[in-house]
Amino acid sequence: SAQIADLQQKLLDADNGDRAKQRWDSIATILEAKCALKYLLGELVSSKVQESKLESSLQQSKARCSDIQKMLTEEQNHATELEAEFQNQLLVQEQNHQEKV
């Protein structure tokens, strides 16, 4: 039954693809052409709006990524400074210990 359902879905998908192609191939009048053109222009505008939104989102993501990279670099520099300070303190402690010994 799963295989039958899968085959039925494939047939429906194939029919939908053929119908869309037949619909565009069967345009015969100016009115149908105008309607098709109006639909296509609407789809184009919708796509352009979506592209603009995605582009804006991409720019915002790039800006956030840049900010995070700057913060990461600052944190790495701070960690390096702390490590150097720790090493200096360790060296001083070792020298004090050697003097006491």
Side-chain angles (χ1 to χ4, degrees):
S1 107
Q3 289 175 338
I4 291 171
D6 186 43
L7 289 173
Q8 287 174 338
Q9 184 62 41
K10 287 181 182 178
L11 283 173
L12 286 173
D13 291 343
D15 285 343
N16 287 339
D18 291 340
R19 284 184 193 154
K21 186 176 185 227
Q22 287 174 355
R23 195 175 300 144
W24 291 109
D25 290 341
S26 67
I27 292 176
T29 66
I30 297 288
L31 182 60
E32 290 174 342
K34 281 183 178 181
C35 289
L37 188 57
K38 185 176 180 179
Y39 171 78
L40 289 174
L41 288 174
E43 289 296 310
L44 176 64
V45 168
S46 175
S47 295
K48 290 288 186 177
V49 167
Q50 186 175 4
E51 178 192 17
S52 175
K53 288 179 182 178
L54 290 172
E55 185 69 29
S56 174
S57 176
L58 176 63
Q59 293 302 326
Q60 289 174 355
S61 295
K62 283 182 178 180
R64 277 184 287 186
C65 181
S66 178
D67 291 344
I68 290 172
Q69 285 177 335
K70 287 177 185 177
M71 286 174 38
L72 178 62
T73 302
E74 289 172 2
E75 290 298 321
Q76 286 174 336
N77 290 340
H78 183 66
T80 302
E81 290 171 5
L82 290 175
E83 179 69 25
E85 185 180 324
F86 173 73
Q87 291 295 331
N88 286 337
Q89 289 177 357
L90 186 61
L91 183 62
V92 168
Q93 291 293 331
E94 286 178 3
Q95 287 174 351
N96 289 338
H97 179 70
Q98 290 296 328
E99 288 175 5
K100 286 180 183 178
V101 170

